[in-house]
Amino acid sequence: METKELICIGCPLGCGLRVELNEKGEAVSVSGNTCKRGEEYGKREVTAPVRTVTSIIKVQGGKAPVVPVRTETDIPKEKIFPCMEEIRKAAVSAPVRLGDVVIENVADTGVNVIAAKTIQKR
C-alpha cells in the first residue's frame, strides 16, 4: 500500500494529512484531519486534484486597464497552464460587470472564466 503526505487546504487549520492508497491508486483512508473537509480534500487531492484559477484580463476602453477574473468552479490541475494561456491572450471591452463570462469553456474544461469585478467605460 502506498502512502501520500500532504497539507490540507480545506480550511485555515492546515492539517498534516496521511492518505493511504490501494494497488489501484484509490484512497482508502485519510488520517491527520480534524474536520470532514480534510478527509474529502485528501481523497480528492491524491486521485483527481482540482484548483480555482484567478488572474487578470486586459480591458479595452475601461476606467481600469485590467479586470480580475476567476474560473467559475475548480478545473483539473493539469489544465491550469492551458487555461492561463487562454487568459493571457484574452481582452474584453468595457463595460465589464461582476460575473460576466469573459471566456467560455476555458481549455475545454466545461468551465467559464468570469469577471470578479465591475469595470466601467472611460
Side-chain angles (χ1 to χ4, degrees), residues 23-116:
E23 308 77 41
K24 297 178 185 176
E26 300 165 331
V28 292
S29 72
V30 178
S31 59
N33 56 302
T34 55
C35 68
K36 184 72 174 166
R37 286 186 282 179
E39 181 179 356
E40 293 165 3
Y41 172 79
K43 288 179 179 179
R44 186 179 61 241
E45 185 64 16
V46 297
T47 57
V50 294
R51 298 289 186 273
T52 297
V53 174
T54 61
S55 189
I56 56 173
I57 289 181
K58 296 174 208 160
V59 176
Q60 298 166 341
K63 287 188 176 182
V66 295
V67 62
V69 297
R70 66 176 180 82
T71 52
E72 277 186 304
T73 60
D74 293 339
I75 64 170
K77 194 173 176 182
E78 67 271 7
K79 291 286 192 166
I80 291 173
F81 286 110
C83 173
M84 286 304 301
E85 188 62 33
E86 287 188 38
I87 288 173
R88 269 193 286 281
K89 293 176 183 176
V92 294
S93 296
V96 181
R97 288 176 181 70
L98 174 69
D100 282 355
V101 174
V102 293
I103 302 174
E104 290 183 1
N105 188 24
V106 68
D108 294 321
T109 59
V111 176
N112 297 325
V113 174
I114 60 171

Coordinates of all heavy atoms in Angstrom, one line a residue, residues 23-116:
E23 N -3.7 -0.7 -4.3 CA -2.9 -1.0 -5.5 C -3.5 -0.3 -6.8 O -2.8 -0.1 -7.7 CB -2.9 -2.5 -5.7 CG -2.5 -3.4 -4.5 CD -3.6 -3.5 -3.5 OE1 -4.8 -3.7 -3.8 OE2 -3.2 -3.4 -2.3
K24 N -4.8 0.0 -6.8 CA -5.4 0.7 -7.9 C -5.2 2.2 -7.9 O -5.7 2.9 -8.7 CB -6.9 0.3 -7.9 CG -7.2 -1.1 -8.2 CD -8.7 -1.4 -8.1 CE -9.0 -2.8 -8.2 NZ -10.5 -3.1 -8.1
G25 N -4.6 2.7 -6.8 CA -4.4 4.1 -6.7 C -5.6 4.9 -6.1 O -5.7 6.1 -6.1
E26 N -6.5 4.1 -5.5 CA -7.7 4.7 -4.8 C -7.4 5.0 -3.4 O -6.7 4.2 -2.7 CB -8.9 3.7 -4.9 CG -9.2 3.4 -6.4 CD -10.2 2.1 -6.4 OE1 -10.1 1.3 -5.6 OE2 -10.9 2.1 -7.4
A27 N -7.9 6.1 -2.9 CA -7.7 6.5 -1.5 C -8.6 5.6 -0.6 O -9.8 5.5 -0.8 CB -8.0 7.9 -1.3
V28 N -8.0 4.9 0.3 CA -8.7 4.0 1.2 C -8.9 4.6 2.6 O -9.8 4.2 3.3 CB -8.2 2.6 1.2 CG1 -8.4 1.9 -0.1 CG2 -6.7 2.6 1.7
S29 N -7.9 5.4 3.0 CA -8.1 6.0 4.3 C -7.3 7.4 4.4 O -6.3 7.5 3.7 CB -7.6 5.1 5.5 OG -6.2 5.0 5.4
V30 N -7.8 8.3 5.2 CA -7.2 9.6 5.5 C -7.0 9.7 7.0 O -8.0 9.5 7.7 CB -8.0 10.7 4.8 CG1 -7.3 12.1 5.1 CG2 -8.2 10.5 3.3
S31 N -5.9 10.1 7.4 CA -5.7 10.4 8.8 C -5.0 11.8 9.0 O -4.4 12.3 8.1 CB -4.9 9.3 9.5 OG -3.6 9.2 8.9
G32 N -5.1 12.3 10.2 CA -4.5 13.6 10.5 C -5.4 14.8 10.4 O -5.1 15.9 10.8
N33 N -6.6 14.6 9.7 CA -7.5 15.7 9.6 C -8.3 15.9 10.8 O -8.6 14.9 11.6 CB -8.5 15.4 8.4 CG -9.2 14.1 8.5 OD1 -8.6 13.0 8.6 ND2 -10.5 14.1 8.6
T34 N -8.7 17.1 11.1 CA -9.6 17.4 12.2 C -11.0 17.8 11.8 O -11.8 18.0 12.7 CB -9.0 18.6 13.0 OG1 -8.8 19.7 12.2 CG2 -7.6 18.3 13.6
C35 N -11.3 17.8 10.5 CA -12.7 18.0 10.1 C -13.0 17.2 8.9 O -12.1 16.6 8.2 CB -12.9 19.5 9.8 SG -12.1 20.2 8.3
K36 N -14.2 17.1 8.5 CA -14.7 16.2 7.4 C -14.1 16.7 6.1 O -13.8 16.0 5.2 CB -16.2 16.2 7.4 CG -16.8 15.4 6.3 CD -16.7 13.9 6.6 CE -17.4 13.1 5.6 NZ -17.0 11.7 5.7
R37 N -13.9 18.1 6.0 CA -13.4 18.6 4.7 C -12.0 18.1 4.5 O -11.6 17.9 3.3 CB -13.3 20.2 4.8 CG -14.7 20.8 4.6 CD -14.6 22.3 4.6 NE -14.4 22.8 5.9 CZ -14.3 24.1 6.2 NH1 -14.3 25.0 5.2 NH2 -14.2 24.5 7.4
G38 N -11.2 17.9 5.5 CA -9.9 17.3 5.4 C -9.9 15.9 4.7 O -9.0 15.6 3.9
E39 N -10.8 15.1 5.2 CA -10.9 13.8 4.6 C -11.2 13.9 3.1 O -10.6 13.2 2.3 CB -11.9 13.0 5.3 CG -12.1 11.6 4.8 CD -13.1 10.7 5.6 OE1 -13.7 11.2 6.6 OE2 -13.3 9.6 5.1
E40 N -12.2 14.7 2.8 CA -12.6 14.8 1.4 C -11.5 15.4 0.5 O -11.3 14.9 -0.6 CB -13.9 15.8 1.3 CG -15.1 15.1 2.0 CD -16.2 16.2 2.2 OE1 -16.1 17.4 1.9 OE2 -17.2 15.7 2.8
Y41 N -10.8 16.4 1.1 CA -9.7 17.1 0.3 C -8.6 16.0 0.1 O -8.1 15.9 -1.0 CB -9.2 18.3 1.1 CG -7.9 18.8 0.5 CD1 -7.9 19.6 -0.6 CD2 -6.6 18.4 1.0 CE1 -6.8 20.1 -1.2 CE2 -5.5 18.9 0.4 CZ -5.5 19.7 -0.7 OH -4.4 20.1 -1.3
G42 N -8.2 15.3 1.1 CA -7.2 14.3 0.9 C -7.5 13.3 -0.1 O -6.6 13.0 -1.0
K43 N -8.7 12.7 -0.1 CA -9.0 11.7 -1.1 C -9.0 12.3 -2.5 O -8.5 11.7 -3.5 CB -10.4 11.2 -0.8 CG -10.4 10.2 0.4 CD -11.8 9.7 0.6 CE -11.8 8.7 1.8 NZ -13.1 8.2 2.2
R44 N -9.6 13.5 -2.7 CA -9.6 14.2 -4.0 C -8.3 14.6 -4.5 O -7.9 14.4 -5.7 CB -10.6 15.4 -3.9 CG -10.8 16.1 -5.2 CD -11.8 17.3 -5.1 NE -11.2 18.3 -4.3 CZ -11.8 18.7 -3.2 NH1 -12.9 18.3 -2.7 NH2 -11.2 19.7 -2.4
E45 N -7.4 15.1 -3.6 CA -6.1 15.6 -4.0 C -5.2 14.5 -4.5 O -4.4 14.8 -5.4 CB -5.4 16.3 -2.8 CG -4.1 17.0 -3.1 CD -4.3 18.1 -4.1 OE1 -5.4 18.6 -4.4 OE2 -3.2 18.5 -4.7
V46 N -5.3 13.3 -4.0 CA -4.4 12.2 -4.5 C -5.0 11.5 -5.7 O -4.2 10.8 -6.4 CB -4.0 11.2 -3.4 CG1 -3.3 11.9 -2.3 CG2 -5.2 10.5 -2.9
T47 N -6.2 11.7 -6.0 CA -6.8 10.9 -7.1 C -7.2 11.9 -8.3 O -7.0 11.5 -9.4 CB -8.1 10.2 -6.7 OG1 -9.0 11.1 -6.1 CG2 -7.7 9.1 -5.7
A48 N -7.7 13.0 -8.0 CA -8.1 14.0 -9.1 C -8.0 15.4 -8.6 O -9.0 16.0 -8.3 CB -9.6 13.7 -9.5
P49 N -6.8 15.9 -8.5 CA -6.6 17.3 -7.9 C -7.3 18.4 -8.8 O -7.2 18.3 -10.0 CB -5.1 17.5 -7.8 CG -4.6 16.5 -8.8 CD -5.5 15.4 -8.9
V50 N -7.9 19.3 -8.2 CA -8.5 20.5 -8.9 C -8.1 21.8 -8.2 O -7.8 21.8 -7.1 CB -10.1 20.3 -9.0 CG1 -10.5 19.1 -9.8 CG2 -10.7 20.2 -7.6
R51 N -8.2 22.9 -9.0 CA -7.9 24.2 -8.5 C -8.9 25.2 -9.1 O -9.3 25.1 -10.2 CB -6.5 24.6 -8.8 CG -5.4 23.7 -8.2 CD -5.3 23.9 -6.7 NE -4.2 23.2 -6.1 CZ -4.3 21.9 -5.7 NH1 -5.4 21.2 -5.9 NH2 -3.2 21.3 -5.2
T52 N -9.1 26.3 -8.4 CA -9.7 27.5 -9.0 C -8.6 28.4 -9.5 O -7.6 28.6 -8.7 CB -10.5 28.3 -7.9 OG1 -11.6 27.4 -7.4 CG2 -11.1 29.6 -8.5
V53 N -8.7 28.9 -10.7 CA -7.7 29.8 -11.2 C -8.1 31.2 -11.1 O -9.3 31.5 -11.5 CB -7.4 29.4 -12.7 CG1 -6.5 30.4 -13.4 CG2 -6.9 28.0 -12.8
T54 N -7.3 32.1 -10.7 CA -7.5 33.5 -10.6 C -6.4 34.2 -11.4 O -5.3 33.8 -11.4 CB -7.6 34.1 -9.2 OG1 -6.3 33.8 -8.6 CG2 -8.7 33.4 -8.4
S55 N -6.8 35.3 -12.1 CA -5.8 36.1 -12.9 C -6.4 37.4 -13.2 O -7.4 37.9 -12.6 CB -5.5 35.3 -14.1 OG -4.4 35.9 -14.8
I56 N -5.9 38.1 -14.3 CA -6.4 39.3 -14.8 C -6.5 39.2 -16.3 O -5.7 38.5 -16.9 CB -5.6 40.5 -14.4 CG1 -4.1 40.4 -14.8 CG2 -5.7 40.8 -12.9 CD1 -3.3 41.6 -14.6
I57 N -7.4 40.0 -16.9 CA -7.6 40.1 -18.3 C -7.6 41.6 -18.7 O -8.1 42.4 -18.0 CB -8.8 39.4 -18.8 CG1 -8.7 37.9 -18.7 CG2 -9.2 39.8 -20.3 CD1 -9.9 37.1 -19.2
K58 N -6.9 41.9 -19.8 CA -6.9 43.3 -20.3 C -8.3 43.8 -20.6 O -9.1 43.1 -21.1 CB -6.1 43.4 -21.6 CG -4.6 43.1 -21.4 CD -3.9 43.0 -22.8 CE -2.7 42.1 -22.7 NZ -2.3 41.7 -24.0
V59 N -8.5 45.1 -20.3 CA -9.8 45.7 -20.6 C -9.5 46.9 -21.6 O -8.7 47.8 -21.3 CB -10.5 46.3 -19.3 CG1 -11.8 47.0 -19.7 CG2 -10.8 45.2 -18.4
Q60 N -10.3 46.9 -22.7 CA -10.1 48.0 -23.6 C -11.2 49.0 -23.4 O -12.4 48.7 -23.3 CB -10.2 47.4 -25.1 CG -9.1 46.4 -25.4 CD -9.4 45.6 -26.6 OE1 -10.5 45.5 -27.1 NE2 -8.3 45.0 -27.1
G61 N -10.8 50.3 -23.3 CA -11.8 51.4 -23.1 C -12.4 51.5 -21.7 O -13.4 52.0 -21.5
G62 N -11.7 50.9 -20.7 CA -12.2 50.9 -19.4 C -11.5 51.9 -18.4 O -10.5 52.4 -18.8
K63 N -12.2 52.1 -17.3 CA -11.6 53.0 -16.3 C -10.4 52.4 -15.6 O -9.6 53.0 -15.0 CB -12.6 53.4 -15.2 CG -13.6 54.4 -15.7 CD -14.5 54.9 -14.6 CE -15.4 56.0 -15.1 NZ -16.3 56.5 -14.1
A64 N -10.2 51.1 -15.8 CA -9.1 50.3 -15.3 C -8.5 49.5 -16.5 O -9.2 49.1 -17.4 CB -9.5 49.4 -14.2
P65 N -7.2 49.3 -16.5 CA -6.6 48.6 -17.6 C -6.8 47.1 -17.6 O -6.7 46.4 -18.7 CB -5.1 48.9 -17.5 CG -4.9 49.2 -16.0 CD -6.2 49.8 -15.6
V66 N -7.2 46.5 -16.5 CA -7.4 45.1 -16.4 C -8.6 44.8 -15.5 O -9.0 45.7 -14.7 CB -6.2 44.3 -15.8 CG1 -5.0 44.4 -16.8 CG2 -5.8 44.9 -14.4
V67 N -9.1 43.6 -15.6 CA -10.2 43.2 -14.7 C -9.8 41.8 -14.1 O -9.2 41.0 -14.8 CB -11.6 43.0 -15.5 CG1 -11.5 41.9 -16.6 CG2 -12.7 42.7 -14.5
P68 N -10.0 41.7 -12.7 CA -9.7 40.4 -12.1 C -10.7 39.4 -12.6 O -11.9 39.7 -12.8 CB -9.8 40.7 -10.6 CG -10.6 41.9 -10.5 CD -10.4 42.7 -11.8
V69 N -10.2 38.1 -12.8 CA -11.1 37.1 -13.3 C -10.8 35.8 -12.5 O -9.8 35.7 -11.9 CB -10.9 36.8 -14.8 CG1 -11.3 38.0 -15.6 CG2 -9.5 36.4 -15.1
R70 N -11.7 34.9 -12.6 CA -11.5 33.5 -11.9 C -12.4 32.5 -12.7 O -13.3 32.9 -13.4 CB -11.9 33.6 -10.5 CG -13.4 33.8 -10.2 CD -13.8 33.7 -8.8 NE -15.2 33.9 -8.5 CZ -16.1 33.0 -8.6 NH1 -15.8 31.8 -9.0 NH2 -17.4 33.3 -8.4
T71 N -12.0 31.3 -12.5 CA -12.8 30.2 -13.1 C -14.1 30.1 -12.2 O -14.0 30.3 -11.0 CB -12.1 28.9 -13.1 OG1 -11.5 28.6 -11.8 CG2 -11.0 28.9 -14.2
E72 N -15.2 29.8 -12.8 CA -16.5 29.7 -12.1 C -16.4 28.6 -11.0 O -17.0 28.7 -10.0 CB -17.7 29.4 -13.0 CG -18.2 30.6 -13.7 CD -19.5 30.3 -14.5 OE1 -19.4 29.4 -15.4 OE2 -20.5 30.9 -14.2
T73 N -15.8 27.5 -11.4 CA -15.6 26.4 -10.5 C -14.2 25.9 -10.6 O -13.4 26.3 -11.5 CB -16.6 25.2 -10.7 OG1 -16.3 24.7 -12.1 CG2 -18.0 25.6 -10.6
D74 N -13.8 24.9 -9.9 CA -12.5 24.3 -10.0 C -12.3 23.6 -11.3 O -13.3 23.1 -11.9 CB -12.3 23.2 -8.9 CG -12.2 23.8 -7.5 OD1 -12.0 25.0 -7.3 OD2 -12.5 23.0 -6.5
I75 N -11.0 23.6 -11.8 CA -10.7 22.8 -13.0 C -9.6 21.8 -12.7 O -8.9 22.0 -11.7 CB -10.2 23.8 -14.1 CG1 -8.9 24.5 -13.8 CG2 -11.3 24.8 -14.5 CD1 -8.3 25.3 -14.9
P76 N -9.5 20.8 -13.5 CA -8.4 19.8 -13.2 C -7.0 20.5 -13.2 O -6.7 21.4 -14.0 CB -8.5 18.8 -14.4 CG -9.9 19.0 -14.9 CD -10.3 20.4 -14.6
K77 N -6.2 20.1 -12.3 CA -4.9 20.7 -12.1 C -4.1 20.7 -13.3 O -3.4 21.7 -13.6 CB -4.2 20.0 -10.9 CG -3.0 20.7 -10.4 CD -2.4 20.0 -9.2 CE -1.2 20.7 -8.7 NZ -0.7 20.0 -7.5
E78 N -4.2 19.7 -14.1 CA -3.4 19.6 -15.4 C -3.8 20.6 -16.4 O -3.2 20.8 -17.4 CB -3.3 18.2 -15.9 CG -4.6 17.7 -16.5 CD -5.5 17.0 -15.4 OE1 -5.2 17.0 -14.2 OE2 -6.5 16.4 -15.8
K79 N -5.0 21.2 -16.2 CA -5.5 22.2 -17.2 C -5.1 23.7 -16.8 O -5.5 24.6 -17.5 CB -7.0 22.1 -17.3 CG -7.5 20.8 -18.0 CD -7.3 20.8 -19.4 CE -8.0 19.7 -20.1 NZ -8.0 19.9 -21.6
I80 N -4.4 23.9 -15.7 CA -4.1 25.2 -15.3 C -3.3 26.0 -16.4 O -3.6 27.1 -16.7 CB -3.4 25.2 -13.9 CG1 -4.3 24.8 -12.8 CG2 -2.8 26.6 -13.6 CD1 -3.7 24.6 -11.5
F81 N -2.2 25.4 -16.9 CA -1.4 26.1 -17.9 C -2.1 26.4 -19.2 O -2.0 27.5 -19.7 CB -0.1 25.3 -18.1 CG 0.9 25.4 -16.9 CD1 1.2 24.4 -16.1 CD2 1.5 26.7 -16.7 CE1 2.0 24.5 -15.0 CE2 2.4 26.8 -15.6 CZ 2.6 25.7 -14.8
P82 N -2.9 25.4 -19.7 CA -3.7 25.8 -20.9 C -4.7 26.9 -20.6 O -5.0 27.7 -21.4 CB -4.4 24.4 -21.3 CG -3.5 23.4 -20.7 CD -2.9 23.9 -19.5
C83 N -5.3 26.8 -19.4 CA -6.2 27.9 -19.0 C -5.5 29.2 -19.0 O -6.1 30.2 -19.5 CB -6.8 27.5 -17.6 SG -7.8 28.8 -16.9
M84 N -4.4 29.3 -18.4 CA -3.6 30.6 -18.3 C -3.2 31.1 -19.6 O -3.2 32.3 -19.9 CB -2.4 30.4 -17.3 CG -2.8 30.4 -15.9 SD -3.8 31.8 -15.3 CE -2.6 33.1 -15.7
E85 N -2.9 30.2 -20.5 CA -2.5 30.6 -21.9 C -3.7 31.3 -22.6 O -3.5 32.3 -23.2 CB -2.1 29.4 -22.7 CG -1.5 29.7 -24.1 CD -0.3 30.5 -24.0 OE1 0.5 30.3 -23.0 OE2 -0.1 31.4 -24.9
E86 N -4.9 30.8 -22.4 CA -6.1 31.4 -23.0 C -6.4 32.8 -22.3 O -6.7 33.8 -23.0 CB -7.3 30.5 -22.9 CG -7.3 29.4 -23.8 CD -8.6 28.6 -23.8 OE1 -9.7 29.2 -23.7 OE2 -8.6 27.4 -23.9
I87 N -6.2 32.8 -21.0 CA -6.4 34.1 -20.3 C -5.4 35.1 -20.7 O -5.7 36.3 -20.9 CB -6.3 33.8 -18.7 CG1 -7.5 33.1 -18.3 CG2 -6.2 35.2 -18.0 CD1 -7.5 32.6 -16.8
R88 N -4.1 34.8 -20.9 CA -3.1 35.7 -21.4 C -3.4 36.3 -22.7 O -3.1 37.5 -23.0 CB -1.7 35.0 -21.4 CG -0.9 35.1 -20.2 CD 0.5 34.7 -20.4 NE 0.7 33.2 -20.6 CZ 0.7 32.3 -19.6 NH1 0.5 32.8 -18.4 NH2 0.8 31.1 -19.8
K89 N -4.1 35.6 -23.6 CA -4.4 36.0 -24.9 C -5.7 36.9 -25.0 O -5.9 37.5 -26.0 CB -4.5 34.8 -25.9 CG -3.2 34.1 -26.1 CD -3.5 32.9 -27.0 CE -2.2 32.1 -27.2 NZ -2.5 30.9 -28.0
A90 N -6.5 36.8 -23.9 CA -7.8 37.4 -24.0 C -7.8 38.9 -23.7 O -6.9 39.4 -23.0 CB -8.7 36.7 -22.9
A91 N -8.8 39.6 -24.2 CA -9.1 41.0 -23.9 C -10.6 41.2 -24.0 O -11.2 40.5 -24.7 CB -8.3 41.9 -24.8
V92 N -11.1 42.1 -23.2 CA -12.5 42.4 -23.2 C -12.7 43.9 -23.3 O -11.8 44.7 -23.0 CB -13.2 41.9 -21.9 CG1 -13.2 40.4 -21.8 CG2 -12.7 42.5 -20.7
S93 N -13.9 44.3 -23.8 CA -14.2 45.7 -23.9 C -15.1 46.1 -22.8 O -16.0 45.4 -22.4 CB -14.9 46.0 -25.3 OG -14.1 45.7 -26.3
A94 N -14.8 47.3 -22.3 CA -15.7 47.9 -21.2 C -17.0 48.3 -21.7 O -17.1 48.6 -22.9 CB -15.0 49.1 -20.6
P95 N -18.1 48.2 -20.9 CA -18.1 47.9 -19.5 C -18.1 46.4 -19.3 O -18.6 45.6 -20.2 CB -19.4 48.5 -19.0 CG -20.3 48.4 -20.2 CD -19.4 48.6 -21.4
V96 N -17.5 46.0 -18.2 CA -17.5 44.6 -17.8 C -18.1 44.5 -16.4 O -17.8 45.3 -15.6 CB -16.0 44.0 -17.7 CG1 -16.0 42.6 -17.3 CG2 -15.3 44.2 -19.0
R97 N -19.1 43.6 -16.2 CA -19.8 43.5 -15.0 C -19.4 42.3 -14.2 O -19.1 41.3 -14.8 CB -21.3 43.5 -15.2 CG -21.8 44.9 -15.6 CD -23.2 44.9 -16.0 NE -23.6 46.2 -16.4 CZ -23.3 46.8 -17.6 NH1 -22.5 46.1 -18.4 NH2 -23.7 48.0 -17.9
L98 N -19.4 42.4 -12.9 CA -19.1 41.3 -12.0 C -19.9 40.1 -12.4 O -21.2 40.2 -12.6 CB -19.5 41.7 -10.5 CG -19.3 40.6 -9.5 CD1 -17.9 40.2 -9.3 CD2 -20.0 41.1 -8.2
G99 N -19.3 39.0 -12.6 CA -20.0 37.8 -13.0 C -20.1 37.5 -14.5 O -20.6 36.5 -14.9
D100 N -19.8 38.5 -15.3 CA -19.8 38.4 -16.8 C -18.9 37.2 -17.2 O -17.8 37.2 -16.7 CB -19.4 39.6 -17.5 CG -20.5 40.7 -17.6 OD1 -21.6 40.5 -17.1 OD2 -20.1 41.8 -18.1
V101 N -19.3 36.4 -18.1 CA -18.5 35.4 -18.7 C -17.5 36.0 -19.7 O -18.0 36.7 -20.6 CB -19.3 34.3 -19.4 CG1 -18.4 33.3 -20.1 CG2 -20.2 33.5 -18.4
V102 N -16.2 35.9 -19.5 CA -15.3 36.5 -20.4 C -14.6 35.5 -21.3 O -14.1 35.8 -22.3 CB -14.2 37.4 -19.6 CG1 -14.9 38.6 -19.0 CG2 -13.5 36.6 -18.5
I103 N -14.5 34.2 -20.8 CA -14.1 33.1 -21.7 C -15.0 31.9 -21.4 O -15.1 31.5 -20.2 CB -12.6 32.7 -21.4 CG1 -11.7 33.9 -21.6 CG2 -12.2 31.6 -22.2 CD1 -10.2 33.6 -21.1
E104 N -15.6 31.4 -22.4 CA -16.4 30.2 -22.3 C -15.6 29.0 -22.4 O -14.7 28.9 -23.3 CB -17.6 30.2 -23.3 CG -18.6 31.3 -23.1 CD -19.7 31.2 -24.1 OE1 -19.7 30.3 -25.0 OE2 -20.6 32.1 -24.0
N105 N -15.9 28.0 -21.6 CA -15.3 26.6 -21.8 C -13.8 26.7 -21.9 O -13.2 26.2 -22.8 CB -15.9 25.9 -23.0 CG -15.5 24.4 -23.0 OD1 -15.1 23.8 -22.1 ND2 -15.5 23.9 -24.2
V106 N -13.2 27.4 -20.9 CA -11.7 27.6 -21.0 C -11.0 26.2 -21.0 O -11.3 25.3 -20.3 CB -11.2 28.4 -19.8 CG1 -11.4 27.7 -18.5 CG2 -9.8 28.9 -20.0
A107 N -10.1 26.1 -22.0 CA -9.2 25.0 -22.1 C -10.0 23.7 -22.2 O -9.6 22.6 -21.7 CB -8.2 24.9 -21.0
D108 N -11.2 23.7 -22.8 CA -12.1 22.6 -23.0 C -12.4 21.9 -21.6 O -12.4 20.6 -21.6 CB -11.5 21.6 -24.0 CG -11.4 22.1 -25.4 OD1 -12.4 22.8 -25.8 OD2 -10.4 21.9 -26.1
T109 N -12.5 22.6 -20.6 CA -12.8 22.1 -19.3 C -14.3 22.1 -19.0 O -14.8 21.4 -18.0 CB -12.2 22.9 -18.2 OG1 -12.7 24.3 -18.3 CG2 -10.7 22.9 -18.3
G110 N -15.1 22.8 -19.8 CA -16.5 23.0 -19.5 C -16.8 24.0 -18.5 O -17.9 24.3 -18.1
V111 N -15.8 24.7 -18.1 CA -15.9 25.8 -17.0 C -15.6 27.2 -17.7 O -14.7 27.3 -18.5 CB -14.8 25.5 -15.9 CG1 -14.8 26.7 -14.9 CG2 -15.1 24.2 -15.2
N112 N -16.4 28.2 -17.3 CA -16.2 29.5 -17.8 C -15.3 30.3 -16.9 O -15.2 30.1 -15.7 CB -17.5 30.2 -17.9 CG -18.5 29.6 -18.8 OD1 -18.1 29.0 -19.9 ND2 -19.8 29.6 -18.5
V113 N -14.6 31.3 -17.5 CA -13.9 32.3 -16.7 C -14.8 33.5 -16.6 O -15.3 34.0 -17.6 CB -12.5 32.7 -17.5 CG1 -11.8 33.8 -16.7 CG2 -11.6 31.5 -17.5
I114 N -14.9 34.0 -15.4 CA -15.8 35.1 -15.2 C -15.1 36.3 -14.5 O -14.1 36.2 -13.9 CB -17.0 34.7 -14.2 CG1 -16.5 34.3 -12.9 CG2 -17.9 33.7 -14.9 CD1 -17.6 34.1 -11.9
A115 N -15.7 37.5 -14.8 CA -15.1 38.7 -14.2 C -15.4 38.7 -12.7 O -16.5 38.4 -12.2 CB -15.8 40.0 -14.8
A116 N -14.4 39.2 -11.9 CA -14.5 39.2 -10.5 C -14.7 40.6 -10.0 O -14.7 40.9 -8.8 CB -13.3 38.6 -9.8

